[in-house]
Every structure is written in structure tokens, then in C-alpha cells.
Amino acid sequence: QVQLVESGGGLVQPGGSLRLSCVASGSFFTINDMYWYRQAPGKQRDLVAGITVDNNKNYPDSVKGRFTISRDNAKNTVYLQIDSLKPEDTAVYYCNADVWTTRWYKGNYWGQGTQVTVSS
């Protein structure tokens, strides 16, 4: 079983920064691509950043320049640095990962989410 646990969310003023973390634990062989999504109240869950196992990164245009994804493979952790926060960044942020649980099976897993609220 694989668990993804996010942390680092909170209440931040507009213009501030946050660094979210997501740690993978449990029984698995290796972690492949990792992603961050967010879901605002009443809206669909949207991809905001992705990173491959060899550190290729991708972002939607809506967050380019403010969001930075990174990973530490030795710690089974993915990070999301969010700068110049705006009220419209308010959402629950979810970690997602493709994980090889054995040499032959790859599953997709979600964390429970961490709330980010941007307000003065």
C-alpha cells in the first residue's frame, strides 16, 4: 500500500509564499512521475505542476513563473513552491503520483490534500 501525505498549507496574505511537501511512504518499488493538483470550492480538480522521474517539469500557463515543482527522490518527496500568492490560488492542493508497487505494476495514488487560503 502507498500513502501520500501533504503538508505545508495554511493561511497566507496575498503576495506571500508557501512551500508544500508531499511524502510517499509504504511498500513500493519506485516512484515515477509526480504531480500537484488543486481544487477550489465548486470547481474541478486541475493540474498545476508535474515532474518526471528525471526532473522534467511542466506547468499550465496559468501558474508559470509563480509555481515551482521539485523532488527529492532519496526522500520520496515532491515539493511545490508557490510565490506571489493570489486569492484565486485558494484551494485544496493534492499530491498525485505514479508508483511502481512491483516491477510489473504501476498504480496512481492521491494524497488527502492540504488547504491553502490566500486572504488579507
Side-chain angles (χ1 to χ4, degrees):
Q1 189 71 4
V2 177
Q3 295 85 39
L4 300 178
V5 178
E6 302 97 333
S7 62
L11 174 63
V12 186
Q13 291 189 341
S17 297
L18 273 180
R19 189 193 196 204
L20 307 182
S21 300
C22 171
V23 181
S25 63
S27 177
F28 55 87
F29 183 61
T30 189
I31 303 172
N32 200 14
D33 300 345
M34 304 184 82
Y35 310 90
W36 285 97
Y37 287 76
R38 69 181 178 187
Q39 188 168 22
K43 296 190 176 181
Q44 66 181 21
R45 191 173 296 187
D46 291 325
L47 177 68
V48 294
I51 185 167
T52 67
V53 67
D54 51 358
N55 269 319
N56 292 315
K57 304 172 186 180
N58 64 86
Y59 310 91
D61 289 342
S62 58
V63 305
K64 277 182 181 177
R66 296 193 302 119
F67 286 31
T68 304
I69 190 170
S70 60
R71 64 190 290 170
D72 184 334
N73 292 331
K75 296 182 179 179
N76 296 323
T77 300
V78 63
Y79 305 96
L80 185 67
Q81 176 72 33
I82 311 175
D83 298 318
S84 303
L85 277 155
K86 305 175 182 180
E88 51 264 42
D89 294 320
T90 295
V92 178
Y93 284 71
Y94 296 91
C95 175
N96 178 267
D98 295 325
V99 181
W100 291 95
T101 53
T102 70
R103 290 181 182 268
W104 304 278
Y105 177 76
K106 183 174 67 175
N108 184 262
Y109 299 88
W110 290 92
Q112 83 290 347
T114 185
Q115 176 70 46
V116 172
T117 303
V118 185
S119 174
S120 55

